[in-house]
Amino acid sequence: MKWPQGVSSAAVSCGIKSEGDDLGLVVFDAPATYAGVFTTNAAAAAPVIWSRARIGKDVRALLANSGNANACTGRDGTTAVQQESSAVAAMLGCSKEDVVVASTGPIGLKLPVAKIVGNLGALEANLSDDPEPFARSLMTTDTYPKLAIARVGEGSVVGVAKGAAMIAPNMATMLAFIVTDIVCPQQRLQSLLTGAVDESFNRISVDACESTNDSVMCFATGRVDGDLDQLQTALHEVCASLAEQIVRDAEGGTKLMRIEVRGASDTAAAVALGKAVAASDLWRCAVAGEDPNWGRVLSALGSCDRGLDMRNVEVSIGSELMFSRGEPAGRPEIAAKVMSLDDFTVGCVVGDGPGRAEVLAADLTTDYVRLNSEITT
Amino acid sequence: MKWPQGVSSAAVSCGIKSEGDDLGLVVFDAPATYAGVFTTNAAAAAPVIWSRARIGKDVRALLANSGNANACTGRDGTTAVQQESSAVAAMLGCSKEDVVVASTGPIGLKLPVAKIVGNLGALEANLSDDPEPFARSLMTTDTYPKLAIARVGEGSVVGVAKGAAMIAPNMATMLAFIVTDIVCPQQRLQSLLTGAVDESFNRISVDACESTNDSVMCFATGRVDGDLDQLQTALHEVCASLAEQIVRDAEGGTKLMRIEVRGASDTAAAVALGKAVAASDLWRCAVAGEDPNWGRVLSALGSCDRGLDMRNVEVSIGSELMFSRGEPAGRPEIAAKVMSLDDFTVGCVVGDGPGRAEVLAADLTTDYVRLNSEITT
């Protein structure tokens, strides 16, 4: 996989993490149109605050690190962001306002800016059109890099992401960077990105924890004329692929469940119901144990929408209907077989409304607990 | 501990669970004033629907079983409730409408009514003034029975409860039964109970899953004249004690955390913020690991109230201030020492409003996941 035209990237190990690359740079040959969608958490990290403020102006570079979120770091955090973007700007001969930044890792630790700045030269020396080293440098507890590509005529859309935990309602410690060479005005790019994020990253859940650092940024280098409807489709495809890769690589996760909600009053209601099932620790434990304990799905739906009429509700696991119109049904042994797969569907019909949505979620395992009992300080 | 005057109870093993007593009966010598607070889950179980409908009339008996929730069981579930209350009524010579019922255990399995009805005689033969066997018969994954008593002049308030998992916002697979011998009109009893539940059972969280079976019932036998303000205080005490016992005995839990929120706009906002911290899987894992990862507390607060101004926020662990007015602070080693206790406080100042609340929560451990990956079918 290659970056679209006019884009290059590199990665190095600068010593924030104990092993592996932890610093990545993406450079645009000429100023790129820039759009972004960020966490709505009030404890948004310093890099989020900086990069959010850059929306509307073209950018020349993106600097990202893993191993430290630079979140809840107060004045030190703000200073660090200024220092790293100034250093990149000095190297590229642009203004620091032309540089966006992102960080992921533990919260509350001071960002070691000297290590970052001291390695910019090495990054510049390694720039290439291969996005994979950059994608790898974003990894925290991810077990593989996440990349996706879609074609748009002569151009393309290429995205990279990292996920793992703190993935929830409205994104999470999740970074995604998407680049296209298609010409697209900024406002249009922003609305295309927002739409694609809503139907992908905002419909996944690992642990229902919304992070301080979630960022999805999109860059258009404007090298290729292309159809914007096709660009929209390609953006959706790339975002959907990255979102699914994130859930598949959920911390400690062993299963991907597709929660399909139908019959809700509208899409938002369907998404809320799907996320309620996705967030149920009890159901997620049952999924880990391949136990078709569908009552936990019903209980999650019923606590999300207290007006739900159980006589209109159906729950199925795979194609096995387990609860239908107020009555238990189905064969647990068939449902258990479905749940033994590492990718299966939970169907929830909640009425006869037009609202439908698919939410992707992971199971809750002892490995998740182990990973998150030991992660920082 | 003894039941208040005019009350007796018994327990037997009727074979719903593989071991231990699983069926309990409480009998009131004369019709008792009755009040109740129930789950608001739309998937409310058949016994909840029955017992909720009894509010406002006096009752003669309470029949409760563990090992089967009789939830999401459709017409069979409704029939089962009719059969068990009719059988108790026949034995006591009252109407089935004078009997309330409760069930707890796995969802979606047919209640074995014959086992229950066949053991009513044994229950009647064993009636005594000791509430403990009845409290034991309610246990599912509880590791000890939960009882509490408070005096009101010559009378008393005695409560028993079961908890363990599915304990969340607005109660959970949690049953509590409270009996007093103080004279109290029904409407007053209902409002006293609602107030006490709001400030106790509705401020605890084990796993943020709200159950289909939550019930808190209160009975007043009217044998003793007493001060109703004192009754209110006693009810609060008993509910608070039972609620704390439930969190202490959380499935897989090793720690009790007291999340104290201050400075919110009002009490409801303070409770919501406290519950957001209580529901954060990431923070709960950190608590299990005794890791003072306070950023996870901040992140939970910030995703609950997106308007929070971090410059007015303080987070402390025990008396160690870890984040203050936008800046990290404190010594992690001191905070870790606090977290090594099995009972500690997380302080969250979120502004300068008058709203404050304490929410009790448990940590998330590999044992919780193990228990809930294997519980049913």
Side-chain angles (χ1 to χ4, degrees), chain A residues 174-187:
Chain A
M174 194 217 87
L175 300 178
F177 307 108
I178 299 156
V179 182
T180 182
D181 39 17
I182 301 295
V183 178
C184 183
Q186 198 279 333
Q187 292 194 349

Side-chain angles (χ1 to χ4, degrees), chain A residues 286-324:
Chain A
V287 171
E290 303 179 358
D291 174 6
N293 197 333
W294 52 269
R296 293 176 177 180
V297 175
L298 219 53
S299 180
L301 294 171
S303 72
C304 174
D305 178 357
R306 299 177 193 285
L308 220 57
D309 184 342
M310 287 296 140
R311 290 168 303 183
N312 300 328
V313 172
E314 284 181 12
V315 172
S316 44
I317 295 176
S319 58
E320 190 70 3
L321 191 60
M322 302 304 290
F323 182 84
S324 176

